[in-house]
Structures are given as C-alpha cells and as structure tokens.
Amino acid sequence: MRIIGGAVCASAACLLAALAGCGAHEEAGRRAALNSGQLKVLLRGIEDMPQGFSDRQRERWRPPFRAKDGDCRALFDAAAGRPPGRGLVAGAATTYEGDHLGESAAVGLAVYGEGAADGGLGRLERAMRGCRVAAAGGAGKGDRLRVSNLRIPDVGDGAEARRFRGRVGGYPYEIHLVVAREGNALITLVHGGVTSPDAKGTEELARVLAGRVSTLEL
C-alpha cells in the first residue's frame, strides 16, 4: 500500500507541476500578447503631452551615426527600438514632433520578464557610465559628441540622463538622452533638434511617459 500510495502521490505531484508549468506558459504568452498590443496603444494619442511637443508620430528614430563605442551604441540602439534583448518580452518605438524647427523626441519602450529588467537596465546603466564620447568610426569621420551629466529627478522608479553635444555633418548638434525604469519596463528617450533642446521639456516628457507606462499591468 505504501508503494501504491507513493506512486499516487508522485503522480499527483507530477500533475500539479505540469499544471503549474502550463499556467506559467499561458501567463507568459498572455503577457507577451498583451504587452505587444498595449505598448503601441500607449505611445499613441497622448492627451497630456507637455507644451512644445505634439502627439503626431513619425517613424522610429535613426541615430545620426553608428557610434564606434559599444556603450554609446547601446544607448542609441535602445532609443531606436533595439533595446538589450536578454529577457525582453515586448518592445515599441516611435518619434514625436516638436514645435521648433527640426525638433523631435524619440522613444524606445521595452518590457522585460520578471527578474529580467535588472539585466536590461543594468546593461544600459553600464552604458550610461561607459559612454563618454560618441563618435563615428572610420577614417575621415568627423561626427563626434561629448557626453555630460543632465539632472532629471524623480522620474519613474529611477532615471539617468545625459547631454550629448558636438558636431554632426559639420554642424552643431545636441541631444538629451534619458533612460528611466518603471516596474519591468525601460523607457529610453532622446530629445533634440536644430536648436539646443530644452532640459525642462525633456524632463516633463520623460515624466509623462513614465506615468503612462505605470498604468500597464506588468
């Protein structure tokens, strides 16, 4: 009887484990489908857009050049919709128009699975520390942006920001880049234009985006 009882218990345990596994897979699939749809909707029709920005959208951002430094390249890639891939569940990217000539705000949004956001966030945090000069590779390439700190307080669950300033194509060029975390989501924002971007506008838009992301069931 003990052997039979043990077999029954073992079978029951296997059944429970299998059901738990199925539930986990179903939940992961549901989250992936839900997030993929929600991210696109979330980035559209922002009614509380800060003054100076429009919710009119364009194609995702294209970096001004391919940075030869891996850390700088990782930051540019995240804003262009190519975030760190380990543990990534879903992502979306877009670009909003600004009021000034040539002004735009590019947003990359990435959602990670449980426990995986630290990996993605950690990669971009290391990139923030390691990216000091963003420059194009190859002989004769004069595109070069020096990086300095930019204060962006109290955005989401934590944020870091940098100012990139220099010359691209022979002309003065400046952008603000923000990486913010909200739960299991990472927001990468790039704000720039022909004229120097307004740091207050960068902060306000980052705060609005973090607030919208906080409404997702992540």
Side-chain angles (χ1 to χ4, degrees), residues 74 77-78 81-91 110-113 116-117 119-121 123-124 126 186:
D77 283 350
R82 297 185 297 274
R86 186 171 183 179
L88 183 67
V89 171
V111 174
Y112 291 86
L121 180 61
R123 173 65 187 105
L124 293 185
R126 292 192 298 274
L186 289 180

Side-chain angles (χ1 to χ4, degrees), residues 28-49:
R30 186 193 66 80
R31 282 170 53 89
L34 180 66
N35 290 335
S36 295
Q38 280 192 329
L39 296 190
K40 295 177 182 179
V41 172
L42 182 140
L43 293 177
R44 291 200 305 265
I46 300 180
E47 297 178 355
D48 53 349
M49 204 62 140

Side-chain angles (χ1 to χ4, degrees), residues 93-162:
T94 193
T95 303
Y96 303 108
E97 295 180 4
D99 287 349
H100 296 101
L101 179 64
E103 183 180 19
S104 65
V107 180
L109 179 56
V111 174
Y112 291 86
E114 292 294 336
D118 287 336
L121 180 61
R123 173 65 187 105
L124 293 185
E125 284 180 338
R126 292 192 298 274
M128 282 289 209
R129 294 192 297 268
C131 177
R132 302 302 178 94
V133 177
K141 297 289 187 180
D143 299 338
R144 185 179 180 87
L145 303 172
R146 292 194 174 276
V147 183
S148 59
N149 288 335
L150 181 66
R151 179 171 166 74
I152 299 289
D154 304 325
V155 173
D157 294 332
E160 287 195 55
R162 299 290 186 269

